[in-house]
Amino acid sequence: VELLGDFCFKNCQNLKKIKLETNSNLIKIGAECFMETAITTISLPRKIQHFDFSGTLLKKITFAPNSEIEQIDSRAFFETQIEEISLPSSVTEIRSYAFSNCKKLKTIKMDNSQLRKIESFAFYDCESLTTFDLPSTINFFGKSCFQHCSKLALAPELTEMDTITVESRSFCNSGILFFKSNCNHLFVGTDSFNNCAQLTSVSLSVK
């Protein structure tokens, strides 16, 4: 099986468990595939690249060891009940609205991360989020990506990229503590750090 199509198990209200083998050839789980099911936990196979759990009761997700996934799709976890997640080191992009409105999300872990891009509204209004150690490899923060993450004490030190973009309202009303960058080109949009009451230091240096 390489594909579970859009709406595949939607409205199967008594479906509580699905088992996907680690070495499965599954690549994609389609839109709203598990919408309105009773599934709260799932383990994803190594080859998975695309999935959509938006609006489900999902609380826990586990990626296979040596996962090959490269991006977290738009709306992948939108408005889920997820509380914490460990993302594979292979992930380089978190797309728009991926975790938006995950009210219970507290912790995001990424060991040996090569994350480059966090798109617009990716973590918008994740009001319980407190822990996310951003790697130094990030070079793009989309619009409102961390807006209203008021408990998230971010402390990014971005030193590995030539160009860094911080779009409008990226950190607006977040708990960011300081922002440090060392690059050749830096673009900072409107209201990027508006109402960041905990922000104490900003360092913008040129290589």
Side-chain angles (χ1 to χ4, degrees):
V1 177
E2 295 184 359
L3 169 67
L4 294 177
D6 297 348
F7 320 114
C8 187
F9 296 101
K10 187 173 182 179
N11 291 320
C12 295
Q13 297 180 3
N14 291 317
L15 179 61
K16 296 181 179 180
K17 184 178 180 180
I18 184 167
K19 185 176 181 180
L20 304 172
E21 296 293 340
T22 298
N23 293 321
S24 164
N25 290 320
L26 184 64
I27 295 174
K28 182 178 180 179
I29 297 173
E32 299 184 16
C33 182
F34 296 107
M35 181 76 79
E36 297 182 35
T37 67
I39 292 174
T40 58
T41 64
I42 194 168
S43 296
L44 295 178
R46 180 171 56 86
K47 294 183 179 181
I48 194 77
Q49 289 294 327
H50 305 285
F51 53 80
D52 176 14
F53 295 109
S54 60
T56 66
L57 299 176
L58 190 70
K59 293 182 178 180
K60 183 179 180 180
I61 185 167
T62 304
F63 292 90
N66 300 316
S67 173
E68 299 175 0
I69 191 168
E70 297 179 357
Q71 67 179 37
I72 304 299
D73 287 343
S74 296
R75 298 175 61 87
F77 298 103
F78 180 78
E79 291 188 348
T80 62
Q81 304 301 306
I82 195 166
E83 297 179 1
E84 66 176 26
I85 189 169
S86 294
L87 296 176
S89 59
S90 55
V91 173
T92 60
E93 294 186 20
I94 298 176
R95 307 298 296 274
S96 58
Y97 294 93
F99 293 90
S100 183
N101 288 319
C102 290
K103 302 291 189 181
K104 296 183 179 181
L105 179 62
K106 296 179 180 179
T107 302
I108 299 168
K109 298 178 181 179
M110 290 190 74
D111 293 332
N112 301 314
S113 173
Q114 294 299 311
L115 186 64
R116 297 282 192 274
K117 188 175 185 180
I118 300 175
E119 289 192 352
S120 300
F121 298 93
F123 297 95
Y124 180 84
D125 211 14
C126 290
E127 59 187 28
S128 298
L129 185 60
T130 58
T131 304
F132 186 8
D133 292 330
L134 296 177
S136 60
T137 53
I138 298 180
N139 67 352
F140 184 89
F141 297 91
K143 294 178 182 178
S144 300
C145 61
F146 288 108
Q147 187 171 1
H148 301 317
C149 296
S150 56
K151 296 180 181 179
L152 183 56
L154 290 168
E157 296 188 45
L158 312 174
T159 59
E160 297 188 22
M161 309 306 293
D162 180 71
T163 300
I164 296 172
T165 299
V166 181
E167 291 195 333
S168 60
R169 301 183 303 280
S170 292
F171 299 98
C172 180
N173 194 35
S174 74
I176 188 170
L177 301 176
F178 68 81
F179 182 90
K180 180 179 180 180
S181 67
N182 182 10
C183 61
N184 290 324
H185 306 282
L186 175 65
F187 303 92
V188 181
T190 305
D191 289 328
S192 295
F193 297 94
N194 191 350
N195 199 34
C196 292
Q198 306 304 316
L199 183 63
T200 59
S201 175
V202 176
S203 176
L204 310 175
S205 57
V206 178
K207 288 184 177 180

